[in-house]
Amino acid sequence: MVEMLSSPVFGISISIAAYAVGVWMNKRLKTPLANPLLISLILLVTFFVVTGIPLEYYNEGGDMISFLIFPATASIGMSIYDNFGLLKRNLLPVLGGCFVGALSSVGSIWLLAKLFCMDNTILASLLPKSVTTAIALPLSEQNGGIPQITMVAVVIAGTMGAVLGPTLAKLFRLADNKVATGLAIGCSSHAAGTSTAVQMGEAEGAMSGLAIGICGLFTVLLSLFFKYLF
Amino acid sequence: MRGILKILWQVGILFAVCFLAQGAVELLPFAFPASVLAMVFVFLLLLTGILKKKQIKDLADWFSQNMAFLFVPYSVGIIQYFDLIRQNLFGILFISAVTMLSTFAVTGWAVKGLMRLQQKLERRHEHG
């Protein structure tokens, strides 16, 4: 039994099984609240807490999947390239908007965390939370944060954008401006929000997709100065 | 046979870029994530034409379609931090939600303002 569980095959197959359930539920329930990653997380955590199987066994296979995050992050470079024409045509609003967006995200997180007297581990975990998971995790880890807490915050931001995107666009009087709506969704709720932006319209979707990469890059640049914030 | 080799070449090319990025971050005077540098390299290599899109397209598309799955094992590690999260639960939830709203609003308004500025500059350009 131990040999079977400590084989990498165990971790890989159980991860795929949990994710498959997540994707299936997401299709059935038709709401961004049923996020496949969140569902598989709940299933797996319950499974390991109930069975008491040590996480080390799971990680034999899990680490192999996690390793693939590296080349997967590299391939985001291709989607930035794909959107480059769109960037050139809207240079000032996109670059300016994404820079202000990244700065306001980091700034507001810092301000609130200080107000709440949060410790630096939590602050470092929250600072990169507006950008896509692949970029947020290494930035969190590098500054002494806990990537799993970052992930929770990233999923909250993404789910809020996916569910509330169109409502917020009306509330903040952006609905008449497709470029502003798309960039606001992309900067505040990355890929998860972009799936909703795509449904709102082609221009909103394209702008939101563009914001994932550009906002991510600005946040990476800002992260070089995170150490002065602690 | 050609199909299988095509994917293998794409894996080879993308991993080679990752390998270069891994080496490059060690030369940088400040800490920088290798995966993010690899992303910048891929973008620049495509932009300069050194790398053709078709040389990595199938693999990159596969990764972007399955990106969320790759984070599943990592997220399970949350088990180890239950206590820390419980102690800071309100702060984490509150800050995550409020800053999402403020980032949304500030970005949107900044874009609107910049577009108005751009139009004004273009109009001035046309007149004089």
Side-chain angles (χ1 to χ4, degrees):
Chain A
M1 191 68 178
V2 169
E3 265 173 40
M4 197 180 122
L5 291 178
S6 61
S7 152
V9 184
F10 165 64
I12 294 177
S13 34
I14 199 175
S15 302
I16 296 179
Y19 193 69
V21 175
V23 171
W24 177 77
M25 283 180 72
N26 179 271
K27 283 205 179 114
R28 287 300 293 269
L29 298 171
K30 292 193 177 82
T31 158
L33 284 173
N35 177 317
L37 176 60
L38 203 61
I39 294 169
S40 27
L41 168 65
I42 294 168
L43 289 174
L44 289 171
V45 166
T46 313
F47 176 79
F48 285 105
V49 169
V50 171
T51 60
I53 294 173
L55 220 49
E56 288 87 65
Y57 291 168
Y58 171 70
N59 284 338
E60 291 291 329
D63 288 345
M64 290 187 181
I65 300 174
S66 301
F67 159 72
L68 292 176
I69 297 172
F70 186 0
T73 309
S75 34
I76 299 176
M78 190 182 83
S79 70
I80 301 180
Y81 172 76
D82 284 340
N83 285 317
F84 195 62
L86 195 65
L87 169 66
K88 273 198 293 197
R89 286 194 296 277
N90 299 279
L91 202 62
L92 184 68
V94 173
L95 286 186
C98 287
F99 182 71
V100 173
L103 196 66
S104 77
S105 169
V106 168
S108 57
I109 294 163
W110 179 80
L111 195 72
L112 284 174
K114 287 287 164 192
L115 273 174
F116 278 98
C117 302
M118 302 291 252
D119 69 49
N120 283 340
T121 313
I122 308 282
L123 173 60
S125 310
L126 294 181
L127 278 178
K129 68 100 193 165
S130 287
V131 298
T132 198
T133 322
I135 300 177
L137 293 192
L139 295 186
S140 159
E141 212 162 17
Q142 202 163 338
N143 290 287
I146 295 167
Q148 281 82 4
I149 295 183
T150 308
M151 222 172 218
V152 171
V154 169
V155 170
I156 294 174
T159 311
M160 278 180 72
V163 178
L164 300 174
T167 315
L168 293 177
K170 275 188 211 108
L171 184 71
F172 295 127
R173 310 202 178 286
L174 302 173
D176 58 331
N177 189 323
K178 293 174 196 282
V179 177
T181 303
L183 290 173
I185 294 179
C187 279
S188 61
S189 51
H190 52 91
T194 300
S195 60
T196 295
V198 169
Q199 289 163 10
M200 293 171 73
E202 203 181 323
E204 287 93 333
M207 280 299 159
S208 185
L210 185 55
I212 300 174
I214 306 295
C215 231
L217 285 177
F218 277 136
T219 307
V220 169
L221 292 179
L222 288 174
S223 79
L224 298 175
F225 305 96
F226 280 5
K227 57 175 183 263
Y228 303 109
L229 294 175
F230 299 120
Chain B
M1 190 59 200
R2 261 180 93 187
I4 299 168
L5 272 180
K6 189 168 88 175
I7 294 294
L8 188 65
W9 296 149
Q10 298 199 357
V11 172
I13 290 168
L14 196 64
F15 277 41
V17 176
C18 290
F19 184 65
L20 280 178
Q22 187 75 60
V25 288
E26 280 163 35
L27 300 175
L28 289 174
F30 46 83
F32 199 85
S35 59
V36 178
L37 190 64
M39 177 183 90
V40 176
F41 279 1
V42 168
F43 169 66
L44 292 177
L45 288 169
L46 287 169
L47 195 66
T48 51
I50 298 170
L51 202 61
K52 298 279 175 291
K53 201 178 147 182
K54 61 168 196 249
Q55 291 172 311
I56 56 161
K57 187 179 183 306
D58 303 271
L59 185 64
D61 283 343
W62 186 84
F63 272 134
S64 68
Q65 282 152 13
N66 295 289
M67 183 79 93
F69 167 70
L70 303 181
F71 294 104
V72 168
Y74 219 96
S75 69
V76 176
I78 204 167
I79 294 178
Q80 298 155 271
Y81 302 104
F82 274 166
D83 285 332
L84 187 67
I85 293 176
R86 200 175 305 139
Q87 283 157 19
N88 295 284
L89 191 63
F90 176 74
I92 293 173
L93 295 181
F94 183 82
I95 294 176
S96 299
V98 170
T99 57
M100 185 273 162
L101 297 176
S102 63
T103 306
F104 191 106
V106 172
T107 308
W109 292 332
V111 173
K112 263 187 141 176
L114 285 168
M115 287 175 83
R116 223 170 285 146
L117 181 74
Q118 199 173 27
Q119 277 166 0
K120 216 176 272 175
L121 290 176
E122 274 162 15
R123 226 171 290 146
R124 193 171 297 167
H125 199 73
E126 277 163 25
H127 289 302

